[in-house]
Amino acid sequence: MQQQLAMHGLGGMDQTMANPASMNMGQQAMSNPMAFNMMQQQLQLQQQQEALNKMMQQMQGQQHNMNLDANATTNGVGVTANPAQRARMGKSGAPSGEFTSKTVAKHLPLLEKSSVEGNRLRSYYSLSVDMLFYLPPVPSDEEYCVKLNIPMDPSTVPQFDLAALRAARFSEIALGALVSNQIALSLELSNAAVSCLKQCAEEPVHPSCIYEVARAYFLHGMFRSYRGDMARYFKYRRVCLAKLSQFPSDTAGVMTLLSAISFHDSFAYMVYNANEESLPNIDEIIPPVSSSMDQEFISASEIKYKTSTDPSQIACNPQNQMWIQGPPPVFINNEAPPLSRSLDALACAIRSCCDQANSRFLEMAQSQDKKSSSSSKSNDVNMFSMSATSAAVTANKNELCSRNMVLSAYTL
């Protein structure tokens, strides 16, 4: 290395002496031998420092390439690793500095249990939204480790699983901020939830986190709908259904989430006045959720109403791709939680009332139009009223009429 530095120094001296200005300075310094020696030493030190800086840059470049190769190898292992391997990897499979956005890092303290502001936002969410849906609480990092049944410290939770938990938490407090009229903060928290969901898309999360991802997509869709962006609500809702289609029927909380989707769908049903033709076309962006299995009606309720109560079949049902229609699938499931059945019954009553109101207004408009024939009147009324919900209510008036749905919801 000393030889290289010396060679760089001599080369620098040659270049300096080749410069006319430097030659003039050298001629002036020749008259004073001490000044000439000092100038020569300064030039050598300068060239040595430049050579050292150049070598350090080369070494840093080599080290950066080695880190990239190591990260690529680690990420390759992380994609195919089993949960135990991913747990041992901890956060090395996705460095937090690379994947954690500035918005997420800024608002991470709000997710702590000791955060006063975070608890306040979560209280707003609980009192305004979750008081109605009663979704299961998002597990803490410690509870998630216990759920995995793997000896693991919370600080070593894989980054992609941690992103799923954070997405659910951010989506909750984003709604809390919106309810408390903190619009700027709610938008930042919403962006943080989206950033976490993008991280979840980098690698398949552990199956125990899929419910939290589905919940985050739905709650974020609700947030967008409250902001007036219904197109994004339907997109995020479609992704949520895709996640729900992977759940077995005995998954904890799945019927609660489906009833929440059904109830908020009734809000969208009213916004679009039950007109499917006015709905945004999202099929090309996010294809409908499909299933290779045919619907099987096993229970007496399924056979009577000709609809499945299995969560995966509900998510894959073609008539439920934009909003849940037809017989209320959660309400007719006697094994579903009572609050979930009550919420789905109210959603069915809202859809039914909307259909009835549209049908009556159409009849009133046609009765005032003297030019319309009686045959065209009846055809138009039948075409307007025969939605999937109207057909189910017409076939089962005693059970599914709006009045009895409200009474059943009250009883439950």
Side-chain angles (χ1 to χ4, degrees), residues 201-330:
E202 296 290 334
E203 177 186 351
V205 298
H206 192 268
S208 60
C209 285
I210 297 180
Y211 183 86
E212 308 308 330
V213 176
R215 180 217 304 259
Y217 274 112
F218 170 64
L219 293 180
H220 183 66
M222 283 186 60
F223 179 89
R224 301 311 309 181
S225 68
Y226 290 150
R227 294 283 298 168
D229 193 349
M230 295 301 297
R232 288 192 182 182
Y233 166 72
F234 288 114
K235 292 177 183 178
Y236 287 118
R237 176 192 179 278
R238 179 74 61 83
V239 180
C240 176
L241 288 183
K243 301 297 182 183
L244 289 177
S245 65
Q246 306 174 24
F247 294 153
S249 58
D250 58 347
T251 303
V254 64
M255 301 307 291
T256 305
L257 184 55
L258 278 173
S259 64
I261 295 173
S262 177
F263 188 81
H264 198 69
D265 282 350
S266 64
F267 165 73
Y269 201 79
M270 291 187 295
V271 169
Y272 285 89
N273 200 24
N275 187 2
E276 293 185 351
E277 294 181 357
S278 61
L279 291 173
N281 185 10
I282 64 172
D283 292 345
E284 295 182 357
I285 302 174
I286 305 176
V289 183
S290 59
S291 175
S292 58
M293 300 176 59
D294 297 332
Q295 291 192 19
E296 296 182 1
F297 305 141
I298 301 176
S299 65
S301 298
E302 292 179 338
I303 296 174
K304 177 180 180 179
Y305 296 105
K306 297 180 181 180
T307 188
S308 177
T309 59
D310 184 83
S312 61
Q313 295 297 327
I314 296 173
C316 297
N317 194 329
Q319 71 181 15
N320 295 335
Q321 294 307 299
M322 296 303 293
W323 47 39
I324 292 180
Q325 287 201 80
V330 181

Side-chain angles (χ1 to χ4, degrees), residues 1-19 22 38-56:
M1 181 174 178
Q2 293 176 354
Q3 294 177 356
Q4 291 178 356
L5 293 175
M7 291 178 66
H8 279 286
L10 291 175
M13 279 291 295
D14 294 339
Q15 294 175 1
T16 304
M17 296 301 295
N19 191 344
S22 300
M38 292 179 62
M39 183 185 69
Q40 187 177 12
Q41 291 177 0
Q42 291 176 358
L43 289 173
Q44 289 180 352
L45 290 174
Q46 182 180 1
Q47 295 299 329
Q48 290 175 2
Q49 184 65 33
E50 292 176 358
L52 183 61
N53 292 338
K54 184 176 181 181
M55 293 180 64
M56 291 296 295

Side-chain angles (χ1 to χ4, degrees), residues 108-122:
L108 272 180
L110 293 176
L111 302 183
E112 300 294 335
K113 291 184 177 180
S114 58
S115 173
V116 177
E117 181 63 23
N119 291 332
R120 182 182 295 111
L121 295 175
R122 198 169 293 106

Side-chain angles (χ1 to χ4, degrees), residues 4 6 13 27 85 131 190 204 207 217 251 306 356 384 407:
Q4 291 178 356
M13 279 291 295
Q27 291 175 358
Q85 291 174 335
M131 185 67 72
S190 175
Y217 274 112
T251 303
K306 297 180 181 180
Q356 292 178 12
F384 189 89
L407 292 177

